[in-house]
Amino acid sequence: MKMGLAIAIAAIAVLAGGCGTVETASTMRTLDDQMRVILVQQASQDDELVRQVTADQALADLAARAVYQVNSALGDSERIALYRIAAVAYWKAGAAGEKQIGDVVAAGTAVCRSAVSKPPRDCAAIALALPAAQIESERRKLDDLEAAARQGPLSEDQLKQSVLIADRMFSATVRLIQMRPPGTDVAVPTDLREYVDRQVLLSYCNAGRARAFAIEKSPAGLPAATREEYRRVRSETTRALGQEPVCMERKDIRSRALEEEAGR
Amino acid sequence: MNPVLIVFGIRAAVRLGRAGAEIYAQRSRDRDVYLPDIEPPAPFSPYQLLIDFYGDPANLQRLKADPQLVVLWDEAAERPVDKLPRTIEPLHAALLAALAEKSVGGGEESRYARLELAGGALISQWSRAAEPLSPIGRIALTMADIALEFVASNPSVVGVGGSGETLIGAIALNLSGMIPDDTDEFGPRAQIANRLVGIFLRAGLSALAAHPDLVLDDDHAEKLVKETLAPLLNVMPASLSEQLEWQALLDALLGPTATAAFTVIAEKPDAFLGRKFASDKALGALTGALFTTLQDADVRRQLGDGGWITLYKALLQVAADRPALFVGDGAKPKDALIRSLLAGTAGTLAKHPGFEGQIGAELAAVAVQALNANAGGLLKLDKDEEWEGMALAMIGQVSGGLSRALTGGGEALRRFGQDQQLELGRIFLVQAAATPGMLGIKRTELQGIVSGVASAMANDIDLLLSPDDWLKIAGVAMSEAAANPGRLFGLDDTAPDEALAAQVIRDLLKAASAAWSKGRDGGSLLAGATLRDAVIAALKAAARNALAAASDDKPIKAVAEAINQVVARSPKAFGSKDWLLLFETLVVEALAEGKVAVLDEAKVMAILGKRGVT
């Protein structure tokens, strides 16, 4: 770097006063914008292999950049925002982010806990990133089992694994339910409440789908303990969402019901 | 300046800097961001839906109540008894009917289905009730903070109905206009606006405190804010790195700029705050163009830290006196003109070693002031010439001539302090501006005179004249040159060494040096004030009778040498006044008669006798 340029940069940094804050904020904006672009690309990519080598790795890299930037952040709010970006990016990075997400969520949660002003959205996103990542991780395992089931009967171990997958998903759903912001917290925006509830529903439906698969494939059904746990989670989910969780892909249950009735 | 104000200013600047950065950071972290959803499960088959739905004991009870359906369900295994359509279809229809009855998701697209399309959503950080203070609110708070602190040291300025209150009110009124609603632009623009407003306010309040007689009314204050601050925000660059540079520039320069502007306004309130509204626009055009030009680091370096403010002050005076020069037809600011003047000045000074930085900028300021004082006459003479071009020509000719002398080996000019160099430039510039026809973009007479004088100075090898002596000589040379075009100096800058004035001065210096080579014992009187006055007398005489003075006989030198010989023979009989009287008399006589009279004792006594022998 030329001497003149170095002096100019130093001078700007000194004169700007709070230049570090500005740079961190600017990086934060860039990372958020880039993450959104990658997530949209990821959602539109059907080929799992292509998705892993492009979007997943890009998200893991982006998360690493966010974590690196945390060191430059001057305030808790900036640190929390960067941890939110890192946590969400590692969550959506799939297998590429499985090793790192735990540490990032722990660090972000610790800052959220000690910060004087707790930004509700960012702290909520950090907290739910881990169970959300677990749900998607189990979902990938379930996809593998379903592929195996299409080839022939599942082995004993595979059947046990399918039950475990459902159990873990239900546990993650319970954790998500516990993360729902209290109704008395006036700082929480409505769209954040709705967002968290959607994640609860999605988590429940993933778990319900896994359980149905396990029951479908098990010759003798599931143990009684598993049944009780399912009922408890379903009940909690219903209470949290204010209505029975519906995992159907349809626009109008009533019209479908009428169609079924007419056809019978 | 009051030390309390200095401390106050520093604290305000630091506070504003932090607040500005914080606003940007706040907007960045609190803007709506996209949060993805957990990936939905693979579609449920009707069989799987039944397992999920009737796993709930409440739903199962409904099934048990229907004897036709209950036989289709294996309660122990928690699933239909088989996968045959005759089993699945009635159970599925019952499930749909139950859901429709409960109105779960009925009649509207379910949240679940919507999710699949979106894959996520833009989520806000805070509820409206808990949202942190907006940037405009922060700026308002910072302004109040500054004003409150100012009240402590200057209670009279920020009182009810005072000019300070008017100024704050005007800034507040224009805040929303300065910061757009566009969310993406809001951050950096608000940040810079915050800084800008704070620095401007502090400078304004300081100036008002220093000029308690200045009364701002609402209209004027609003115009002042609009015309000064808005152009600075409007030329804010787009990229972040440039914005940082721009912000640094504002931090460093806006304070002194605003203080200078307020001071000039305070000194000339009628010009800026009276009915000449064009002055307001001129002020804005000038300030905006100044900052745009100073974004160029080369220009900043060339004009120096204090140099640009000197030049800006000079231009403010022009704006006050002749706003039309800065505001074109239809009151549209002539930004390009101002920028070309500022950048041109820096470029011109860069070419002339010794005139970089403060001294060059001050010289340029003198040129602008001189031009301003005589602009009416000058511009009437040649309407095709733009005034800024003329100003640049003046700056270039004077700094160029003197720079060449400084670097060309002339020891006398190098003894000049910066103040004396500037004074020398002022002598040339002021006289030139006051002389009709001497200046013009294509005319180089001024440069010829400067170079001629500089060339003569270079011959003062023995340093017989002080810088102050030279300043007086330069003044007379310039004055005589102005009054007698083409006689003492050429009408262009070709061969300045051969100009009559340069020759006359050179000859006298040679005569003086020859006498002084013998030391004070040799009886020479031709040095210091005597030599200066002799040069002045010679220049005046030569201007009156240039042809005779330029003759090959070198009559002026001959007269000086003759007097030196007389003095050398009887050193105790003559003083400096005698020498000068003899010289003034004999030079006029020699030039009039075309020859040098024989200087015998009788002649000497005849001349000196008229006033008594020393």
Side-chain angles (χ1 to χ4, degrees):
Chain A
M1 188 187 290
K2 288 180 180 174
M3 180 67 82
L5 183 59
I7 292 170
I9 290 171
I12 289 167
V14 170
L15 288 171
C19 193
T21 306
V22 173
E23 280 181 353
T24 304
S26 171
T27 307
M28 197 188 302
R29 278 174 178 260
T30 307
L31 291 172
D32 256 327
D33 293 342
Q34 288 176 349
M35 182 162 70
R36 182 176 182 180
V37 170
I38 300 169
L39 286 172
V40 170
Q41 286 172 347
Q42 185 188 47
S44 62
Q45 179 56 258
D46 292 330
D47 188 318
E48 181 64 24
L49 188 63
V50 174
R51 188 180 128 152
Q52 281 174 13
V53 295
T54 54
D56 292 5
Q57 193 51 51
L59 284 168
D61 293 344
L62 187 141
R65 278 161 54 206
V67 172
Y68 176 79
Q69 193 66 34
V70 168
N71 299 323
S72 312
L74 299 176
D76 283 347
S77 298
E78 279 75 32
R79 275 193 281 275
I80 290 170
L82 290 164
Y83 277 129
R84 186 256 305 156
I85 293 170
V88 171
Y90 276 137
W91 154 24
K92 282 294 173 182
E98 278 182 359
K99 285 183 184 167
Q100 299 90 339
I101 189 169
D103 289 344
V104 166
V105 168
T109 306
V111 182
C112 277
R113 203 171 288 136
S114 63
V116 177
S117 171
K118 297 171 177 55
R121 180 202 55 210
D122 288 349
C123 286
I126 291 170
L128 65 78
L130 192 55
Q134 285 168 345
I135 290 281
E136 292 190 352
S137 172
E138 297 302 325
R139 155 84 196 263
R140 288 190 289 276
K141 293 175 194 164
L142 182 65
D143 288 345
D144 293 342
L145 280 184
E146 290 195 357
R150 283 192 288 273
Q151 305 299 317
L154 295 178
S155 68
E156 195 65 29
D157 283 347
Q158 285 172 319
L159 285 172
K160 280 182 185 168
Q161 197 190 353
S162 70
V163 175
L164 269 177
I165 288 171
D167 282 350
R168 289 190 194 119
M169 283 185 169
F170 279 124
S171 299
T173 305
V174 171
R175 284 206 298 282
L176 279 174
I177 290 170
Q178 290 164 349
M179 285 172 189
R180 292 178 69 248
T184 50
D185 188 346
V186 292
V188 179
T190 307
D191 56 2
L192 177 60
R193 291 184 188 282
E194 290 174 353
Y195 172 77
V196 176
D197 283 353
R198 276 205 309 276
Q199 307 321 302
V200 170
L201 176 65
L202 281 166
S203 181
Y204 168 81
C205 288
N206 269 291
R209 174 73 172 65
R211 175 178 170 274
F213 174 79
I215 290 175
E216 183 182 1
K217 299 300 174 188
S218 298
L222 299 184
T226 307
R227 180 184 306 182
E228 285 310 310
E229 175 64 7
Y230 161 71
R231 286 175 180 167
R232 188 175 71 81
V233 176
R234 184 175 174 90
S235 166
E236 279 188 33
T237 306
T238 303
R239 195 163 47 246
L241 300 181
Q243 65 177 15
E244 199 167 337
V246 179
C247 302
M248 290 176 65
E249 292 178 81
R250 80 286 182 260
K251 287 187 177 176
D252 189 341
I253 291 171
R254 188 180 296 277
S255 62
R256 284 275 300 273
L258 291 172
E259 282 170 21
E260 291 261 349
E261 188 69 29
R264 199 160 54 161
Chain B
M1 186 183 233
N2 183 349
V4 176
L5 288 182
I6 296 172
V7 172
F8 163 77
I10 293 168
R11 288 170 57 186
V14 169
R15 208 166 55 237
L16 280 161
R18 283 181 187 156
E22 180 53 34
I23 286 172
Y24 182 56
Q26 179 198 316
R27 296 302 304 180
S28 299
R29 64 177 185 259
D30 286 354
R31 67 183 183 144
D32 292 358
V33 298
Y34 180 81
L35 291 183
D37 286 318
I38 293 172
E39 204 170 338
F44 283 65
S45 65
Y47 184 82
Q48 290 169 334
L49 271 178
L50 293 172
I51 293 173
D52 186 54
F53 186 73
Y54 291 113
D56 187 330
N59 295 331
L60 190 59
Q61 285 307 315
R62 294 170 64 99
L63 196 67
K64 285 179 177 175
D66 187 332
Q68 288 186 321
L69 294 176
V70 72
V71 295
L72 303 176
W73 188 258
D74 180 348
E75 193 174 354
E78 293 185 284
R79 60 192 178 194
V81 290
D82 55 46
K83 290 185 177 179
L84 297 173
R86 66 164 185 258
T87 303
I88 301 304
E89 283 177 8
L91 288 171
H92 194 237
L95 177 152
L96 288 172
L99 287 178
E101 193 180 308
K102 291 181 185 178
S103 296
V104 178
E108 61 178 40
E109 190 180 336
S110 77
R111 286 179 291 169
Y112 182 83
R114 269 210 310 275
L115 290 174
E116 282 192 303
L117 298 173
L122 280 177
I123 307 294
S124 40
Q125 179 81 284
W126 303 92
S127 67
R128 280 207 165 274
E131 212 163 20
L133 195 60
S134 71
I136 287 184
R138 279 171 181 262
I139 295 175
L141 264 188
T142 314
M143 281 172 59
D145 201 14
I146 288 174
L148 279 173
E149 195 169 327
F150 208 89
V151 168
S153 51
N154 298 271
S156 61
V157 174
V158 196
V160 175
S163 288
E165 189 203 15
T166 307
L167 182 64
I168 292 169
I171 292 175
L173 269 177
N174 285 282
L175 266 183
S176 57
M178 283 189 276
I179 306 172
D181 296 332
D182 188 310
T183 308
D184 282 342
E185 264 189 75
F186 208 59
R189 200 173 160 92
Q191 179 195 6
I192 287 181
N194 187 49
R195 245 166 223 238
L196 198 142
V197 164
I199 295 170
F200 186 83
L201 177 61
R202 188 190 66 76
L205 291 176
S206 300
L208 291 173
H211 297 87
D213 49 332
L214 176 63
V215 178
L216 277 180
D217 70 27
D218 291 346
D219 286 347
H220 293 142
E222 193 177 341
K223 270 183 166 295
L224 199 64
V225 170
K226 262 188 187 162
E227 298 297 339
T228 311
L229 296 185
L232 296 182
L233 271 177
N234 290 339
V235 294
M236 192 181 85
S239 80
L240 181 75
S241 60
E242 286 174 324
Q243 279 170 15
L244 287 174
E245 213 160 331
W246 180 238
Q247 182 180 304
L249 193 69
L250 285 176
D251 286 351
L253 308 186
L254 183 59
T257 306
T259 303
F262 273 102
T263 305
V264 172
I265 291 166
E267 286 165 359
K268 295 193 169 189
D270 291 342
F272 284 98
L273 306 179
R275 293 186 178 279
K276 291 162 73 177
F277 288 129
S279 301
D280 299 342
K281 291 208 178 303
L283 175 65
L286 175 58
T287 310
L290 174 81
F291 275 78
T292 308
T293 311
L294 290 181
Q295 282 185 78
D296 185 336
D298 286 342
V299 173
R300 286 206 301 279
R301 194 185 61 248
Q302 207 57 54
L303 293 178
D305 285 343
W308 61 267
I309 197 78
T310 307
L311 193 52
Y312 175 65
K313 278 182 186 167
L315 290 168
L316 276 173
Q317 295 285 350
V318 182
D321 295 340
R322 300 171 207 287
L325 293 177
F326 293 90
V327 183
D329 296 336
K332 190 178 175 187
K334 294 164 87 173
D335 297 27
L337 175 156
I338 303 166
R339 283 200 300 274
S340 87
L341 175 62
L342 291 165
T345 300
T348 301
L349 297 175
K351 292 179 201 158
H352 302 135
F355 284 88
E356 308 93 339
Q358 180 79 20
I359 183 172
E362 288 195 17
L363 191 69
V366 170
V368 169
Q369 284 162 348
L371 202 55
N372 183 37
N374 299 279
L378 284 172
L379 297 177
K380 264 181 202 161
L381 278 175
D382 192 343
K383 290 176 180 170
D384 294 333
E385 293 198 336
E386 295 278 7
W387 75 275
E388 76 278 9
M390 210 176 272
L392 283 176
M394 286 171 75
I395 297 163
Q397 291 184 23
V398 173
S399 61
L402 294 179
S403 175
R404 273 197 294 280
L406 271 172
T407 54
E411 192 60 36
L413 189 52
R414 278 203 287 271
R415 286 205 302 162
F416 276 51
Q418 287 212 333
D419 286 351
Q420 288 160 325
Q421 282 182 27
L422 192 62
E423 183 56 30
L424 186 59
R426 187 193 308 276
I427 287 168
F428 292 126
L429 289 167
V430 171
Q431 183 64 57
T435 305
M438 183 178 276
L439 290 176
I441 294 171
K442 292 177 183 166
R443 294 187 61 83
T444 54
E445 184 181 354
L446 173 61
Q447 183 156 335
I449 297 170
V450 176
S451 300
V453 172
S455 159
M457 289 168 74
N459 286 285
D460 186 9
I461 297 163
D462 295 324
L463 303 178
L464 299 173
L465 291 166
S466 70
D468 285 341
D469 293 330
W470 277 114
L471 288 176
K472 285 187 177 153
I473 291 169
V476 172
M478 189 65 199
S479 165
E480 290 295 329
N484 304 284
R487 288 193 176 189
L488 287 179
F489 300 91
L491 293 177
D492 56 36
D493 64 339
T494 53
D497 291 353
E498 294 169 18
L500 177 58
Q503 287 180 34
V504 166
I505 297 171
R506 193 163 55 231
D507 287 346
L508 275 175
L509 285 170
K510 280 182 182 171
S513 290
W516 275 97
S517 64
K518 296 165 190 163
R520 283 180 73 84
D521 294 344
S524 176
L525 299 172
L526 198 51
T530 310
L531 177 57
R532 176 196 68 206
D533 291 345
V535 170
I536 289 171
L539 287 173
K540 287 180 175 174
R544 282 196 294 275
N545 201 337
L547 275 178
S551 79
D552 291 342
D553 297 338
K554 295 186 178 295
I556 293 174
K557 183 185 178 193
V559 168
E561 287 173 344
I563 299 171
N564 279 347
Q565 285 170 9
V566 169
V567 172
R569 284 198 293 272
S570 310
K572 292 180 181 170
F574 298 97
S576 62
K577 288 182 182 173
D578 299 321
W579 198 102
L580 267 180
L581 182 59
L582 286 170
F583 182 73
E584 286 166 0
T585 308
L586 292 171
V587 159
V588 171
E589 189 180 293
L591 295 184
E593 295 175 5
K595 61 176 184 179
V596 180
V598 175
L599 193 57
D600 54 19
E601 194 171 338
K603 177 95 177 167
V604 170
M605 295 312 293
I607 294 169
L608 297 179
K610 288 175 186 172
R611 52 168 287 279
V613 179
T614 303

